[in-house]
Every structure is written in C-alpha cells, then in structure tokens.
Amino acid sequence: MSKLDKIEELQRLLKEDSNNFQARRELAVLLMDCGFNEEALQHLTYLSWNFSYDEGIFYNLGIVYEKMKNFKKAKESYLKAIEIEPEYSDAIYNMGLVHTELREYNEAIECFKKIVEEDPDDSNSYFNLGLVYFKQKDYIQAIDNFQKTIDLNDEDLYAHFYLGNIFKILGDIDSAKEKFYKVIDISPNYSWAYFNLAAIYNDEGDTKNAIDNLDK
C-alpha cells in the first residue's frame, strides 16, 4: 500500500471514529512525511490537547513547525518534549538545529555537546558543532569539530567543504585546495567546490585553471 493510499484509509477510519487517536497519530506522521504540513499540524495540535504529556507528539509538532520555518514554535514544541522526557536525544538534537536557525549559538552548542557526550560517534552533532563555531568565526573550534566529523565519516562532503573555506580564510591555500578537491572526489557535481577552486586559482594568477573550474 502506498503512503497516499494509507492516508486515505486512515482518513476513512477517522470519519468513522474521530476518537481513534492511534489512527490520527499515524495519519499526522504520514501527512508530515508526504509534505502536507498544514494538515499534519492540525492533527498534531489536536492530539497535543488530548495528550499533554506525550513527548512524541510534541517532538513531531516541532518537526512540522521546523519544516514550515516557524522556528520559534518549533523551539516551544521541542522544549515541551524535553520537559516531559529530559533525555530525549532526538528532541535535544533538533533543538540544537532550531537554536542555530535562531542564532542562539551558545544554546545550540550546549545541545550538540550533550548529544556527543552520550554518543561520541554521532558525526552529525560534531558537524553541527563545527557549523555553529564557524558562524561564530571561532575557526579553531570549527576545525576541531569538522575534523572529528571526518574521522567518523570521511564521506561527509560538507565537513570537507567547510574546512576548505576555513583554510582559505586562514591563508592555508594548499590545504584549502586539497579539501575542495576532496569534495569533488566525493560529489563531482558539487558546483561550489569548483567555484572556490576557481577563486583561488584566479587569486594566484592561474587563469587557465580558474577558467577550467568555472566552466565545470
């Protein structure tokens, strides 16, 4: 059964019994997965009124608000989920993402650090720590966390890309080139890596390589 067929089935069940909360919950998650965020929000809001101590409902509310770019509401929802279940790692991680969007960088760092304390192999949290430090222009901490990301997942092209940018900012051009070429090895269609290489070669007066990378 396709997701859309399942949605129709769950909608029929709710028409027969509007108090079928399990069906409503499944429907909300499916609607969210399929991009029907407004509809998912309606069902999750209704569920939150009836189950005010269900951390999963508030976590999913946070996801929907995040998808809708309503980061303040997402923050409220994740806070509620964490209030109910203080060790809810998925909610803590997503809260870190929301803090980052809201430029609440110290709070974001606190969230991601809490995740890696519990799971030292969480490369995504190290990446997001690197990103927050990059936004704060704390390049030493950013390098450290992007490197930890790569140590756990050498195929993380964005960690290599940000390291390339940092090395370029710091004037370590050879290391910057190495990182941008690594990005291209991982993802040959990542245009920003070619663009940054072109900018470096242009600054060096190497017009041929600059044009070649711009063409790519």
Side-chain angles (χ1 to χ4, degrees):
M1 179 182 293
S2 71
K3 286 185 177 181
L4 291 178
D5 288 338
K6 185 64 176 177
I7 286 171
E8 290 181 2
E9 178 186 304
L10 290 167
Q11 286 172 332
R12 284 196 298 271
L13 289 174
L14 283 177
K15 283 182 181 179
E16 296 169 5
D17 178 9
S18 62
N19 289 322
N20 187 335
F21 295 118
Q22 182 58 37
R24 190 178 296 277
R25 187 168 188 156
E26 287 183 40
L27 177 60
V29 172
L30 271 173
L31 289 167
M32 181 174 64
D33 287 346
C34 293
F36 301 116
N37 296 316
E38 293 284 353
E39 294 84 349
L41 179 61
Q42 291 174 10
H43 290 291
L44 288 166
T45 301
Y46 180 83
L47 287 166
S48 71
W49 295 337
N50 288 274
F51 301 97
S52 59
Y53 293 98
D54 187 319
E55 69 274 12
I57 290 171
F58 288 98
Y59 172 70
N60 284 322
L61 263 174
I63 292 175
V64 170
Y65 280 126
E66 226 181 318
K67 287 174 178 284
M68 297 170 72
K69 306 298 182 184
N70 189 339
F71 298 113
K72 289 184 178 180
K73 280 288 189 182
K75 178 181 173 179
E76 290 175 10
S77 299
Y78 291 136
L79 276 172
K80 181 65 176 176
I82 295 165
E83 178 187 325
I84 297 166
E85 177 45 68
E87 302 303 316
Y88 196 165
S89 60
D90 288 342
I92 294 168
Y93 177 85
N94 282 19
M95 177 66 88
L97 299 177
V98 168
H99 281 311
T100 304
E101 291 289 347
L102 294 172
R103 299 185 180 182
E104 298 168 349
Y105 296 137
N106 290 335
E107 292 86 348
I109 288 168
E110 185 179 336
C111 288
F112 296 128
K113 279 188 173 180
K114 187 168 185 179
I115 297 297
V116 296
E117 283 171 7
E118 295 297 321
D119 182 6
D121 294 330
D122 190 321
S123 64
N124 290 326
S125 290
Y126 284 117
F127 173 82
N128 282 291
L129 278 168
L131 184 60
V132 173
Y133 285 122
F134 179 82
K135 289 176 182 289
Q136 292 182 311
K137 298 185 179 180
D138 186 344
Y139 298 129
I140 301 304
Q141 289 281 6
I143 289 171
D144 181 56
N145 282 281
F146 286 135
Q147 187 58 54
K148 286 176 180 175
T149 305
I150 291 166
D151 289 342
L152 291 165
N153 177 18
D154 191 49
E155 296 299 300
D156 191 318
L157 70 96
Y158 299 109
H160 288 289
F161 182 75
Y162 274 102
L163 279 174
N165 279 304
I166 293 170
F167 290 139
K168 184 173 182 290
I169 291 167
L170 297 178
D172 186 351
I173 302 304
D174 288 340
S175 295
K177 285 181 185 176
E178 179 185 336
K179 286 299 173 186
F180 293 135
Y181 278 118
K182 176 66 176 180
V183 171
I184 292 166
D185 285 342
I186 298 168
S187 179
N189 295 321
Y190 195 69
S191 61
W192 279 108
Y194 293 110
F195 179 85
N196 284 1
L197 281 167
I200 289 172
Y201 284 121
N202 183 64
D203 289 343
E204 292 179 333
D206 188 341
T207 305
K208 182 181 183 306
N209 269 320
I211 291 173
D212 285 347
N213 279 281
L214 286 173
D215 284 341
K216 290 175 183 176

